[in-house]
Amino acid sequence: MTKPYPIDPDSELVNESYAVVYTPRRRRRDRFPENCVAVFADEKEARAQARPEEHYYAARVVGPSRSSEGYMLFYLLEWLV
């Protein structure tokens, strides 16, 4: 399900990050709007803030990146929980 997304090393716009992602659909998607993603400083903090029983899952993501529809999206690299 997860795909590798290239990151331009000279750009500071799109970064790989640890985050907590809200997804009520049981983690079947690989991209998420920015209002569903909370970025954290490190993996430990993201894991600590995850609440799977409420559909908030720790993940490693890339983003934000503007979609063709104009939304800012984060792309899933891997689930941490």
Side-chain angles (χ1 to χ4, degrees):
M1 179 169 95
T2 60
K3 301 173 184 78
Y5 296 96
I7 298 175
D8 181 355
D10 297 327
S11 172
E12 295 181 16
L13 299 176
V14 177
N15 298 299
E16 185 176 318
S17 307
Y18 292 102
V20 171
V21 179
Y22 173 73
T23 177
R25 293 195 178 170
R26 300 275 307 145
R27 303 187 298 176
R28 288 187 280 185
R29 302 183 69 177
D30 64 351
R31 66 183 200 155
F32 304 92
E34 68 179 335
N35 66 330
C36 293
V37 178
V39 175
F40 292 93
D42 57 32
E43 180 180 355
K44 183 178 178 180
E45 189 175 354
R47 285 182 184 268
Q49 295 298 320
R51 298 184 316 272
E53 66 282 354
E54 297 177 30
H55 307 289
Y56 290 90
Y57 301 95
R60 194 166 54 97
V61 297
V62 171
S65 177
R66 187 169 301 281
S67 73
S68 59
E69 297 90 10
Y71 296 106
M72 296 302 284
L73 300 174
F74 282 85
Y75 293 88
L76 176 68
L77 293 177
E78 70 175 316
W79 294 112
L80 300 176
V81 181

